[in-house]
Amino acid sequence: MKKATCIAIDDEPLALLVITQFCERFGGLELTTFSEPLVGLEEIRRRKPDLVFLDIEMNSISGLDIARDLPEECCFIFTTAHAQYALNGFELDAVDFLHKPFAYERFEKAVEKAIRRIETERDRTPDSIVVKQEYNNVTIPTNDILYIEAMENYTKIFRESGGYILSRTNMKTLQEILPEESFLRIHRSYIVPIDRVEMFSKKKIKLAGQETLLPVGRQFANHIYDLLIARNSGGSRTNL
């Protein structure tokens, strides 16, 4: 792959030196370091690097807060001396969690994992999305998505080809990466493809070929109803 752009944020200069040396040893990584977290975050927003190395417990801000504010396309690896944050890393979809002091070999494995994710994202086409399933990334053609349902900390992506993908990619992220003109959030727990809507009301929606009726959230009802009426997308008004 082409050279990956990287940013490291850590308020300890020695930690940044270690990451710099390891990146040079790995090769193919273009690294910029920041000891001021908020300055680093602004640069991440401006440059949108491929990979971010991120400490957690810093003086001015938590790395967990920075992770929540990163651009969607940025992969990130936590580098911290505090092992108790490992679960947070998993929940925030970190590529990996490096517990200081970490050896080069452990760093190398984390970066290789990040590069695999970056390459997968670069290979994504407008007609597909990439979601996280366990520790792997799965590419799903958008025309294979029947509907999406939120399930606590997971999402179920039901497929036209059968079965479903159980992913930790959250509904907000899915809504952002799906083509806006083709998918519709109808409820806090449901996203549907617009062209599969067969019948609808302000309370429920029926998808073509599906017996189960999906609920429409009150906050979405008027917008959805007006949009579907305006599109006249093969659906019909009904008292569902």
Side-chain angles (χ1 to χ4, degrees):
M1 63 172 284
K2 68 178 184 180
K3 184 171 287 190
T5 56
C6 309
I7 284 179
I9 299 178
D10 198 310
D11 58 2
E12 296 180 4
L14 181 58
L16 291 176
L17 177 61
V18 170
I19 293 172
T20 300
Q21 292 173 342
F22 284 1
C23 283
E24 290 173 353
R25 181 174 171 183
F26 187 91
L29 304 176
E30 183 181 291
L31 178 70
T32 308
T33 64
F34 293 89
S35 57
E36 291 292 336
L38 294 178
V39 176
L41 178 57
E42 283 304 310
E43 187 66 6
I44 289 169
R45 289 171 175 160
R46 187 182 72 83
R47 288 178 51 195
K48 294 182 172 57
D50 297 309
L51 177 59
V52 175
F53 298 98
L54 188 57
D55 189 19
I56 293 182
E57 287 201 355
M58 295 180 283
N59 290 329
S60 57
I61 188 172
S62 167
L64 299 176
D65 292 330
I66 292 179
R68 295 185 184 100
D69 208 22
L70 291 176
E72 179 58 36
E73 58 269 33
C74 288
C75 293
F76 65 96
I77 295 172
F78 279 128
T79 60
T80 178
H82 304 280
Q84 70 267 27
Y85 293 113
L87 179 59
N88 300 91
F90 184 69
E91 290 175 343
L92 289 169
D93 199 26
V95 172
D96 211 333
F97 185 95
L98 295 178
H99 185 206
K100 297 175 183 176
F102 46 86
Y104 172 75
E105 290 72 21
R106 182 67 184 86
F107 173 89
E108 182 179 44
K109 288 181 180 178
V111 173
E112 286 174 346
K113 190 188 300 185
I115 288 173
R116 287 194 295 271
R117 184 183 294 192
I118 292 165
E119 289 177 335
T120 298
E121 182 61 26
R122 284 177 177 170
D123 291 340
R124 184 174 69 86
T125 70
D127 298 324
S128 67
I129 62 171
V130 178
V131 299
K132 188 172 181 63
Q133 184 181 38
E134 296 297 335
Y135 296 102
N136 300 310
N137 293 303
V138 180
T139 301
I140 306 175
T142 53
N143 63 7
D144 192 34
I145 298 174
L146 191 56
Y147 66 94
I148 300 170
E149 180 181 6
M151 301 286 290
E152 295 184 351
N153 294 326
Y154 296 86
T155 52
K156 275 186 174 182
I157 304 172
F158 290 87
R159 307 183 70 165
E160 177 71 17
S161 56
Y164 60 83
I165 296 291
L166 188 63
S167 173
R168 277 193 174 270
T169 306
N170 62 41
M171 293 290 276
K172 181 177 182 294
T173 298
L174 286 170
Q175 189 174 8
E176 290 172 351
I177 64 177
L178 285 166
E180 182 180 11
E181 68 279 6
S182 302
F183 287 84
L184 189 60
R185 183 83 174 263
I186 64 168
H187 189 277
R188 289 180 62 189
S189 299
Y190 292 97
I191 295 174
V192 302
I194 297 175
D195 63 3
R196 294 189 189 275
V197 175
E198 185 176 71
M199 295 186 291
F200 60 90
S201 71
K202 289 188 177 181
K203 293 185 177 180
K204 295 180 181 179
I205 276 179
K206 182 182 184 301
L207 300 179
Q210 298 294 303
E211 295 301 323
T212 303
L213 302 179
L214 302 180
V216 174
R218 283 185 295 178
Q219 70 192 91
F220 303 94
N222 289 333
H223 168 70
I224 290 168
Y225 192 77
D226 292 344
L227 183 147
L228 292 175
I229 288 290
R231 283 178 62 98
N232 191 25
S233 57
S236 60
R237 295 178 61 178
T238 179
N239 294 320
L240 283 176

